Amino acid sequence: MKLSGLNTIITGASQGLGKAIAAQFVRDGATVVLCARDAALLASARDELAESGGRVLAQDCDVSDERQVAQL
């Protein structure tokens, strides 16, 4: 597990490239925090990625909003 013990935040992780990157990080052993604007898609991605046994958290966040990024 190349990334075991590391924590990551991946933006745009509810679909497409962001989700693919998150999946690889989970496979490599990282704890992954997913963020994206669409809470429903994000929850679905979190559930799917967590099935592999990795630690996956999710928080909806619009990274263009400084206040939301600070909360994340």
Side-chain angles (χ1 to χ4, degrees):
M1 299 235 157
K2 297 187 270 188
L3 301 177
S4 182
L6 295 178
N7 300 312
T8 62
I9 297 174
I10 301 176
T11 62
S14 63
Q15 58 188 345
L17 185 58
K19 184 177 173 185
I21 291 168
Q24 185 63 52
F25 275 54
V26 169
R27 282 191 295 273
D28 286 346
T31 296
V32 177
V33 176
L34 311 174
C35 76
R37 291 178 291 180
D38 187 314
L41 280 175
L42 193 59
S44 177
R46 179 201 59 220
D47 293 346
E48 180 183 330
L49 294 175
E51 287 179 5
S52 66
R55 183 155 187 224
V56 182
L57 309 168
Q59 174 65 47
D60 56 301
C61 177
D62 180 347
V63 296
S64 69
D65 182 330
E66 188 175 335
R67 184 181 53 78
Q68 288 185 37
V69 172
Q71 289 176 341
L72 176 65

